[in-house]
């Protein structure tokens, strides 16, 4: 793996699930990680876990729907570790329901966290990357945006907004700032269960995750692959789903 021990990586949504797996796996390779999320108790636990194994990590309480919080996350990386090499925009939520259920609150949340949160992460990192003349943005997207199914309209739309923004940024960049979109399918986290709001749907989601989902470490491995390429190689899109997922 190229230069992972020299890298500083900021990760949003890093206290559980995929974000935590990315943080832990990278720290095992010697990468310095700066973790952001809202729940600081969980953030502290991840940082303790990383430090107990000899890794280096810091955390910042952030809500990605607040632009200034992303700036604080990036500033923490630069202040504590002197630079930022990779910004992983991973924090996300889903509110799964039919459009005609009009769950406007969830629509707002998905737009604020999944789209604006990713844009704010990019907005915080890009000035630092421009100054350094290097940097890498990794956006965690979803296969929901690739295979569109009922009840995932707004979630898939937010993820496809991120896909579109990422592709445009790739074309605009002179290559000194790289961008990778990673689209996971079902992953073993609490995400799917949190995304539905009835007991029956939660039970169904839990069963689907148990029987089908891949480990969050599989997604972390994809991040590691993307960011350990030589400077002239940009991995654009990675789709990583359970082999059995339709
Ligand atoms: N699990 C899957 O099957 C799956 C599949 C495809 C794509 N994804 C995507 O992968 C990413 C991570 O999902 P996951 O499965 O790891 O979900 P998860 O276990 O529910 O974790 C979500 C993370 O996002 C953070 N977060 C949510 N809202 C936030 C906010 N406003 N500000 C800061 N952090 C926030 C949460 O921390 P706090 O609540 O403490 O802030 C948590 O760390 C998401 O973007 C999701 O869309 C997941």
């Amino acid at each position: 793996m190229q230069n992972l021990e020299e890298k500083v990586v900021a990760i949003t949504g890093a206290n559980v699930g995929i974000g935590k797996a990315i943080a832990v796996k990278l720290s095992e390779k010697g990468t310095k990680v700066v973790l952001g999320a809202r729940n600081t108790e969980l953030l502290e636990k991840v940082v303790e876990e990383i430090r107990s194994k000899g890794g280096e990590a810091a955390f910042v309480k952030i809500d990605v729907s607040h632009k200034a919080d992303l700036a604080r996350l990036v500033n923490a990386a630069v202040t504590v570790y002197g630079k930022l090499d990779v910004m992983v925009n991973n924090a996300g939520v889903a509110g799964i329901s039919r459009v005609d259920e009009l769950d406007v609150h969830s629509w707002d949340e998905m737009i604020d966290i999944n789209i604006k949160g990713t844009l704010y992460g990019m907005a915080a990192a890009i000035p630092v990357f421009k100054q350094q003349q290097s940097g890498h943005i990794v956006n965690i997207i979803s296969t929901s945006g690739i295979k569109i199914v009922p009840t995932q309209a707004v979630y898939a739309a937010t993820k496809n907004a991120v896909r579109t923004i990422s592709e445009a940024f790739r074309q605009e960049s002179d290559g000194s700032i790289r961008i990778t979109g990673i689209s996971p399918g079902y992953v073993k986290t609490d995400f799917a269960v949190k995304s539905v709001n009835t007991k029956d749907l939660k039970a169904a989601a839990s069963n689907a995750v148990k029987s089908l989902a891949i480990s969050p470490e599989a997604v972390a491995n994809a991040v590691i692959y993307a960011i350990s390429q030589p400077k002239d190689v940009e991995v654009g899109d990675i789709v990583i789903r359970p082999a059995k997922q339709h």
Side-chain angles (χ1 to χ4, degrees):
M1 292 303 167
Q2 191 167 341
N3 295 334
L4 282 179
E5 63 287 344
E6 288 162 24
K7 286 194 194 289
V8 179
V9 177
I11 307 153
T12 68
N15 55 6
V16 292
I18 293 171
K20 176 185 171 183
I22 296 168
V24 170
K25 275 234 149 206
L26 279 174
S27 69
E28 286 167 1
K29 308 264 180 214
T31 306
K32 298 172 183 76
V33 289
V34 184
L35 318 183
R38 294 168 298 186
N39 184 323
T40 49
E41 263 178 51
L42 293 173
L43 278 172
E44 257 180 74
K45 277 192 187 162
V46 181
V47 168
E48 271 169 30
E49 182 183 329
I50 290 170
R51 287 182 181 159
S52 72
K53 291 188 279 185
E56 288 191 66
F59 76 85
V60 182
K61 179 183 168 124
I62 60 160
D63 182 332
V64 297
S65 60
H66 300 151
K67 196 174 93 185
D69 285 14
L70 275 306
R72 285 195 297 108
L73 183 73
V74 168
N75 281 342
V78 174
T79 307
V80 179
Y81 298 119
K83 61 172 183 164
L84 179 70
D85 296 297
V86 184
M87 176 76 202
V88 182
N89 294 303
N90 163 75
V93 292
I96 298 304
S97 64
R98 289 167 54 99
V99 175
D100 64 7
E101 287 176 55
L102 306 182
D103 185 1
V104 177
H105 173 74
S106 286
W107 299 351
D108 285 339
E109 214 175 43
M110 286 185 276
I111 289 164
D112 287 346
I113 295 172
N114 300 357
I115 305 179
K116 287 186 174 178
T118 299
L119 279 169
Y120 293 160
M122 291 173 65
I126 287 168
V128 174
F129 291 167
K130 278 193 172 165
Q131 205 175 17
Q132 296 173 168
Q133 295 186 312
S134 80
H136 196 148
I137 296 160
V138 176
N139 291 332
I140 304 300
I141 311 179
S142 174
T143 55
S144 286
I146 296 170
K147 181 179 174 189
I148 311 293
V149 297
T151 74
Q152 294 184 10
V154 180
Y155 176 64
T158 62
K159 291 298 182 177
N160 277 343
V162 174
R163 200 183 311 279
T164 302
I165 292 159
S166 305
E167 172 58 13
F169 181 83
R170 182 191 72 76
Q171 293 181 34
E172 289 166 3
S173 174
D174 65 2
S176 59
I177 306 177
R178 290 176 283 174
I179 188 158
T180 300
I182 297 182
S183 292
Y186 264 116
V187 182
K188 262 193 188 76
T189 71
D190 293 338
F191 187 77
V193 174
K194 281 189 226 164
S195 71
V196 287
N197 53 18
T198 69
K199 220 173 132 190
D200 287 350
L201 287 173
K202 281 187 187 294
S206 172
N207 284 336
V209 169
K210 273 185 204 142
S211 63
L212 187 66
I214 52 174
S215 76
E217 285 74 24
V219 182
N221 285 338
V223 174
I224 287 172
Y225 171 74
I227 70 171
S228 58
Q229 298 301 315
K231 268 194 180 310
D232 62 337
V233 176
E234 181 177 55
V235 175
D237 285 289
I238 298 179
V239 180
I240 173 164
R241 53 165 85 84
K244 286 184 186 167
Q245 184 176 326
H246 294 300

